[in-house]
Amino acid sequence: MAYLLLKPDREKSLLRRHPWVFSGAIEKLVGSPAPGETIRVLNSHGQFLAHTAYSPHSQIRARVWSFDENATVDVDFLRGRIRQALARRATPGLVSVTNAVRLIHAESDNLPGLVVDRYGELLVMQSLTAGSEFWKETLADLLLEETGCKSVYERSDADVRELEGLPVINGWLRGGTSSPVQVTEYGLKFIVNVETGHKTGFYLDQRHNRFRVGQLSAGRDVLNCFCYTGGFSIHAAANGANSVLSVDSSADALALGAQNAALNGLEGGKLDWLEGDVFPLLRKFRDQARSFDLIILDPPKFAATASQAEKASRGYKDINRLAFKLLRPGGLLATFSCSGGIDAALFQKIVASAALDAGVDAVMLEHFSQASDHPVALHFPEGAYLKGLLCQRMD
Ligand code: SAH
């Protein structure tokens, strides 16, 4: 059986239960495993550390399936892991407000490389690594058996697949019911196009933040930047916002946003949809001396890794500085970052220095994070990617 032998003293992260083995820690590979095959990782003394999935093309050369030497990675093992993830989501009160749920959150659900979202009776699966790819057909069958759903759509089109040497795949893996699907979130309805939408179709991670921001919207003039299909906008309008201006660079996303408004009986005067680039638009609004009572900034990922953090920081600071300038006194800014390379402490510093540069006195009222169906394994801090702040302009 093939195995990876680590260099001396390179097992520390595995002993802390971190699930990745980087190529630099490896002394040698013994055997010639296929991509995604299960292989053991041993320390420099030849002692067992973990059963892992082998990724020959990635810097993350192996990902842990199990730290238990007696475990066998097979159908029953994967079924057990899926059941654990489903049981977690069934915790009373955790995600009862929606039928659109992340069922499996990769490393944090002890299933590296596998992301599964449920939209009503439809599953959307992302296989991101050689290991999840190796087991993909088995996983698809198990997911249908364990959830009772009839179809699985595969959205294996994330950039990270390239690092694994895997091609883009986008299509039905099982069944083939119609898409788009309609889901509900806190009583509001949304259309999700799993075939062409971003990620698996919807930003499920922002669910409770959309609700929270909605609660704060009554009577306010709202500017929703990077609105996608109008998640925050619909919550704001439904909660009595005075006006909601939603901006995105994607015409398709905006069209779906307008459909979502109609679906919730919110069409009409108070919702406007604007196609454009947020960066110049905020400058234009500043030059026109426009102002708002609530601004939402939920940009796409500017930095996937810490190495891109500096450039990303400038981007975040720019939009936050402009947003502070457009806020009326007493106005609220809900600002987010989903960049793995920018941690919560750095994000807070960026927002603080943006307020300083804008010449605005502001306080932080709340911290935001990803919804609880996107858990973070305690030994895998990389899983905590979404962070946000609710700030209020004082002067
Ligand atoms: N808040 C949304 C998710 C936002 S995702 C929700 O809750 O559903 C980020 C969005 O930013 C995407 O819709 C993308 O099309 C848009 N986008 C990316 N760069 C942009 C830019 N420079 N200007 C405007 N929109 C942009």
Side-chain angles (χ1 to χ4, degrees):
M1 255 173 65
Y3 62 90
L4 287 170
L5 196 67
L6 296 192
K7 293 175 181 166
D9 296 327
R10 297 303 293 268
E11 67 269 47
K12 289 200 187 69
S13 63
L14 286 174
L15 294 176
R16 284 198 303 267
R17 294 290 193 263
H18 190 278
W20 291 352
V21 179
F22 285 94
S23 59
I26 296 167
E27 183 71 46
K28 66 173 175 182
L29 166 70
V30 175
S32 45
E37 204 175 306
T38 305
I39 62 172
R40 288 167 303 145
V41 176
L42 310 179
N43 70 11
S44 60
H45 305 295
Q47 291 160 327
F48 174 87
L49 291 167
H51 294 294
T52 67
Y54 178 57
S55 279
H57 302 290
S58 172
Q59 288 304 310
I60 306 171
R61 196 55 50 87
R63 290 177 174 78
V64 174
W65 286 123
S66 176
F67 292 102
D68 177 1
E69 188 164 9
N70 298 318
T72 305
V73 180
D74 58 10
V75 180
D76 287 336
F77 173 90
L78 295 172
R79 187 191 298 280
R81 288 285 161 91
I82 289 171
R83 283 187 177 170
Q84 277 174 3
L86 297 182
R88 199 165 284 144
R89 273 69 179 180
T91 305
L94 200 68
V95 283
S96 50
V97 295
T98 185
N99 63 349
V101 180
R102 172 145 302 185
L103 294 182
I104 298 183
H105 191 47
E107 271 78 349
S108 290
D109 280 308
N110 293 320
L111 285 163
L114 181 67
V115 169
V116 181
D117 290 337
R118 178 175 186 158
Y119 296 102
E121 295 311 304
L122 165 64
L123 301 179
V124 184
M125 174 171 162
Q126 286 187 312
S127 161
L128 302 172
T129 61
S132 57
E133 196 71 7
F134 186 89
W135 290 102
K136 190 163 79 183
E137 299 297 328
T138 304
L139 287 165
D141 290 335
L142 286 171
L143 284 162
L144 292 186
E145 282 173 37
E146 294 300 319
T147 61
C149 292
K150 297 281 181 282
S151 1
V152 183
Y153 192 83
E154 182 179 7
R155 281 297 299 270
S156 295
D157 53 3
D159 296 346
V160 289
R161 274 185 58 107
E162 211 177 303
L163 303 176
E164 295 275 330
L166 297 169
V168 165
I169 301 173
N170 199 343
W172 291 103
L173 196 55
R174 295 288 183 279
T177 53
S178 60
S179 170
V181 288
Q182 188 182 308
V183 299
T184 59
E185 172 181 286
Y186 288 98
L188 296 172
K189 298 176 198 136
F190 292 94
I191 297 164
V192 178
N193 190 325
V194 303
E195 297 177 46
T196 59
H198 296 177
K199 304 220 289 186
T200 66
F202 204 54
Y203 289 85
L204 299 173
D205 50 1
Q206 286 282 26
R207 179 188 314 114
H208 65 216
N209 302 328
R210 286 190 283 261
F211 176 71
R212 183 72 191 116
V213 170
Q215 289 180 313
L216 297 162
S217 300
R220 294 187 184 265
D221 290 320
V222 178
L223 173 63
N224 182 9
C225 297
F226 310 98
C227 69
Y228 188 49
T229 57
F232 282 98
S233 309
I234 304 299
H235 277 272
N239 282 282
N242 187 48
S243 68
V244 185
L245 176 57
S246 305
V247 185
D248 202 279
S249 54
S250 161
D252 289 346
L254 291 166
L256 213 47
Q259 273 188 56
N260 284 332
L263 195 60
N264 289 284
L266 296 166
E267 68 270 59
K270 73 176 174 182
L271 277 147
D272 281 308
W273 306 91
L274 186 60
E275 185 183 340
D277 183 346
V278 164
F279 286 80
L281 189 79
L282 290 177
R283 287 190 163 70
K284 187 169 130 193
F285 283 179
R286 177 199 58 193
D287 296 343
Q288 294 172 342
R290 288 190 65 166
S291 63
F292 300 88
D293 303 302
L294 171 58
I295 299 177
I296 300 142
L297 294 178
D298 184 22
K301 188 161 50 185
F302 290 162
T305 62
S307 62
Q308 298 153 354
E310 202 180 309
K311 184 163 175 274
S313 301
R314 284 198 292 277
Y316 287 119
K317 187 167 169 188
D318 192 35
I319 51 174
N320 280 279
R321 182 178 52 82
L322 290 162
F324 274 122
K325 279 192 174 292
L326 300 182
L327 268 191
R328 294 175 191 150
L332 299 170
L333 171 65
T335 180
F336 299 92
S337 162
C338 60
S339 295
I342 306 265
D343 68 17
L346 176 57
F347 187 59
Q348 189 172 316
K349 279 188 197 141
I350 294 167
V351 173
S353 97
L356 194 68
D357 280 15
V360 161
D361 190 14
V363 292
M364 271 185 296
L365 298 176
E366 288 178 20
H367 288 75
F368 298 117
S369 64
Q370 64 216 46
S372 50
D373 52 343
H374 298 58
V376 184
L378 285 172
H379 46 263
F380 186 64
E382 292 89 340
Y385 63 97
L386 181 63
K387 71 279 319 175
L389 295 170
L390 178 68
C391 297
Q392 185 168 38
R393 178 174 176 170
M394 299 310 296
D395 48 354

